[in-house]
């Protein structure tokens, strides 16, 4: 990969400032084009207290093309697919610039958790039943992203189909 020096510099910069940003970045073993980012759930949101992992795939033309990002951690959000983790975020599409760094992209994802983009929802629940959305997002954070002293707890038991039954009818 021709931009290896930039990627390594971005990794170093991101990880030296992780305490202030709540963002970390690491390479997947044996593959310089696959990374894992981690963002802290923003304060004052249903995601507060959660730690969310994001798969990052760098295209061969990075930084001239945006990275492909999707959530590994299950999350309930109007701009993020609860099935695939794919997200709707302009900075990862048509608003990408080669000046944007991976940390900036992850900060944008973190900001999306605080302020969903209502013009591009994947789930109308946020609009039609706001409190149900908040309760479900908080429950999913507790079940799938809660941080303990040992790291992110792996919990099971949330039935996604049950979460959807009766919404927006």
């Amino acid at each position: 990969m021709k931009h290896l020096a930039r990627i390594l510099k971005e990794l170093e910069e991101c990880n030296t400032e992780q305490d202030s940003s709540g963002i970390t970045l690491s390479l997947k073993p044996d593959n310089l084009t696959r990374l894992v980012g981690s963002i802290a759930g923003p304060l004052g949101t249903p995601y507060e207290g959660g730690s969310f992992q994001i798969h990052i795939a760098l295209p061969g033309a990075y930084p001239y093309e945006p990275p492909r990002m999707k959530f590994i951690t299950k999350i309930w959000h109007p701009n993020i697919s609860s099935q695939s983790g794919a997200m709707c975020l302009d900075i990862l599409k048509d608003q990408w610039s080669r000046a944007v760094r991976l940390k900036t992209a992850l900060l944008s994802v973190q900001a999306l958790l605080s302020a969903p983009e209502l013009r591009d929802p994947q789930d109308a629940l946020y609009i039609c039943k706001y409190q149900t959305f908040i309760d479900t997002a908080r429950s999913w954070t507790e079940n799938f992203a809660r941080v303990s002293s040992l790291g992110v707890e792996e919990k099971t038991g949330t039935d996604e189909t049950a979460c959807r039954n009766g919404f927006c009818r």
Side-chain angles (χ1 to χ4, degrees):
M1 171 165 259
K2 110 182 185 182
H3 298 286
L4 177 61
R6 174 179 166 149
I7 295 166
L8 294 175
K9 184 175 182 181
E10 287 190 53
L11 275 165
E12 183 181 339
E13 287 174 358
C14 188
N15 291 328
T16 57
E17 300 170 2
Q18 69 181 338
D19 288 339
S20 62
S21 67
I23 292 175
T24 62
L25 194 58
S26 60
L27 285 171
K28 286 195 172 185
D30 303 323
N31 193 335
L32 297 175
T33 63
R34 303 283 186 254
L35 299 96
V36 175
S38 177
I39 60 173
L43 299 176
T45 71
Y47 312 104
E48 182 175 349
S51 178
F52 299 89
Q53 290 192 332
I54 299 168
H55 171 79
I56 303 167
L58 301 177
Y62 179 81
Y64 299 99
E65 292 179 12
R68 291 180 303 279
M69 295 185 177
K70 69 177 187 174
F71 275 79
I72 298 168
T73 308
K74 287 184 68 86
I75 186 168
W76 189 266
H77 188 279
N79 303 115
I80 301 165
S81 169
S82 60
Q83 298 293 315
S84 68
M87 61 188 94
C88 298
L89 186 60
D90 60 357
I91 196 171
L92 297 176
K93 295 178 184 174
D94 60 333
Q95 296 300 308
W96 178 258
S97 161
R98 68 185 180 108
V100 175
R101 300 224 176 280
L102 293 171
K103 181 177 180 178
T104 306
L106 288 169
L107 285 168
S108 296
V109 172
Q110 192 177 47
L112 182 67
L113 298 184
S114 295
E117 175 53 62
L118 299 181
R119 290 176 293 180
D120 195 15
Q122 292 194 23
D123 191 329
L125 181 62
Y126 185 84
I127 297 168
C128 68
K129 292 189 177 182
Y130 181 74
Q131 190 56 51
T132 302
F133 164 79
I134 294 295
D135 295 342
T136 303
R138 196 171 283 132
S139 172
W140 279 41
T141 298
E142 179 66 34
N143 285 320
F144 302 112
R146 183 62 60 197
V147 178
S148 73
S149 61
L150 300 175
V152 177
E153 295 180 20
E154 293 296 325
K155 295 185 177 180
T156 59
T158 300
D159 179 0
E160 188 171 327
T161 304
C163 289
R164 290 183 182 272
N165 285 344
F167 292 157
C168 297
R169 289 190 180 176

